[in-house]
């Protein structure tokens, strides 16, 4: 009998306790407002999100620490475990590593986030929402099929994974997540004064619009 060696990746959905998270859930009427992918058993997460806690407009590709979601203990987490062969795991790992190496070139796709409410997508070359990034990574790894015309939302991705029958667990952040260090997550860092914040936010918005 031939056994295939596999490694797990986790697709994780969050109902966060920040004002922006509650606002997004109110507008979309979805249970979750954020999605991320983990390659190390949920010790760290990759996603597109705010980089600093106090500056939501400075957003892009981040390596998130679980501490982001353990700060209040009220975040609800739903995690799907997807077991993949070593070739697929390495393909996904390399893809994310290449993006991380150029993380300053990637920005959050605020336009796509806004047009989602109108039932449309607004794809940009170097800009993603959290769910566009996660689903795009799964497509890149051959786990999901591409559909360029499909509206990408947290609910639709969660429904796709649920329909595949992947192992799922749900609970509050303290019940699901491991207590690790902040690592390379700059979430609580000081990104400078008002001028520096405005300059960086403007740079990212320009890059997003330019595509």
């Amino acid at each position: 009998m031939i056994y295939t060696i596999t490694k797990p990746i986790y697709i994780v959905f969050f109902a966060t306790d920040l004002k922006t998270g509650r606002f997004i859930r109110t507008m979309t009427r979805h249970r979750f407002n954020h999605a991320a992918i983990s390659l190390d058993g949920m010790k760290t997460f990759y996603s597109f999100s705010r980089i600093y806690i106090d500056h939501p407009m400075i957003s892009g590709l981040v390596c998130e620490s679980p501490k982001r979601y353990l700060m209040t203990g009220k975040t609800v987490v739903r995690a799907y475990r997807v077991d993949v062969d070593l070739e697929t795991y390495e393909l996904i790992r390399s893809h994310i590593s290449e993006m991380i190496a150029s993380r300053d070139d990637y920005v959050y796709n605020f336009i796509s986030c806004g047009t989602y409410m109108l039932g449309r997508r607004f794809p940009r070359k170097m800009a993603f929402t959290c769910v566009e990034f996660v689903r795009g990574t799964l497509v890149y790894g051959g786990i999901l099929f591409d559909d360029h015309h499909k509206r990408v939302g947290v609910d639709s991705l969660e429904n796709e994974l649920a329909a595949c029958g992947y192992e799922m667990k749900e609970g509050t952040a303290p019940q699901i997540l491991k207590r690790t260090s902040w690592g390379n997550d700059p979430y609580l860092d000081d990104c400078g004064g008002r001028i520096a914040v405005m300059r960086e936010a403007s740079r990212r918005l320009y890059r997003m619009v330019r595509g």
Side-chain angles (χ1 to χ4, degrees):
M1 183 178 295
I2 299 176
Y3 293 94
T4 300
I5 299 175
T6 63
K7 295 190 72 171
I9 63 174
Y10 288 88
I11 311 305
V12 190
F13 299 92
F14 302 89
T16 61
D17 194 42
L18 293 176
K19 291 180 180 178
T20 51
R22 293 194 293 270
F23 174 76
I24 291 171
R25 293 196 299 277
T26 298
M27 296 300 294
T28 61
R29 298 183 181 179
H30 302 328
R31 186 179 179 195
F32 300 98
N33 61 277
H34 184 55
I37 185 169
S38 176
L39 305 179
D40 60 1
M42 295 193 286
K43 297 176 184 176
T44 55
F45 303 96
Y46 296 101
S47 188
F48 274 70
S49 182
R50 67 174 70 194
I51 298 174
Y52 308 102
I53 187 173
D54 293 326
H55 304 290
M57 296 304 294
I58 302 181
S59 301
L61 178 59
V62 291
C63 181
E64 301 175 327
S65 166
K67 284 195 171 184
R68 286 190 178 215
Y69 307 105
L70 291 166
M71 291 179 68
T72 67
K74 296 181 180 180
T75 295
V76 176
V77 180
R78 175 177 287 180
Y80 287 89
R81 172 175 172 149
V82 181
D83 291 311
V84 299
D85 58 42
L86 297 183
E87 182 179 358
T88 300
Y89 180 89
E90 182 58 28
L91 185 67
I92 291 174
R93 188 201 65 79
S94 297
H95 174 65
I96 294 177
S97 294
E98 289 175 3
M99 292 183 69
I100 288 290
S102 304
R103 71 174 71 187
D104 287 343
D105 294 330
Y106 289 95
V107 296
Y108 192 88
N109 192 347
F110 286 104
I111 299 178
S112 189
C113 186
T115 56
Y116 174 83
M117 302 302 299
L118 303 175
R120 297 179 179 275
R121 296 181 62 189
F122 197 90
R124 312 301 286 162
K125 184 177 180 180
M126 302 291 283
F128 300 87
T129 63
C130 61
V131 70
E132 287 173 343
F133 164 70
V134 172
R135 193 180 192 282
T137 300
L138 295 178
V139 169
Y140 185 86
I143 297 171
L144 295 178
F145 293 105
D146 197 4
D147 186 344
H148 295 288
H149 303 289
K150 186 179 181 66
R151 185 176 69 161
V152 180
V154 173
D155 62 327
S156 60
L157 177 58
E158 199 274 331
N159 288 338
E160 281 187 273
L161 296 174
C164 292
Y166 293 121
E167 176 186 331
M168 185 271 287
K169 57 182 177 181
E170 180 179 323
T172 63
Q175 292 171 331
I176 301 295
L177 304 183
K178 297 177 174 63
R179 296 186 178 277
T180 62
S181 69
W182 281 102
N184 295 322
D185 189 343
Y187 195 53
L188 299 182
D189 289 358
D190 182 0
C191 62
R194 183 176 301 178
I195 294 177
V197 170
M198 292 179 61
R199 183 183 295 119
E200 180 60 17
S202 298
R203 183 189 74 82
R204 290 176 177 271
L205 287 172
Y206 173 74
R207 183 176 289 275
M208 175 193 64
V209 173
R210 188 185 66 178

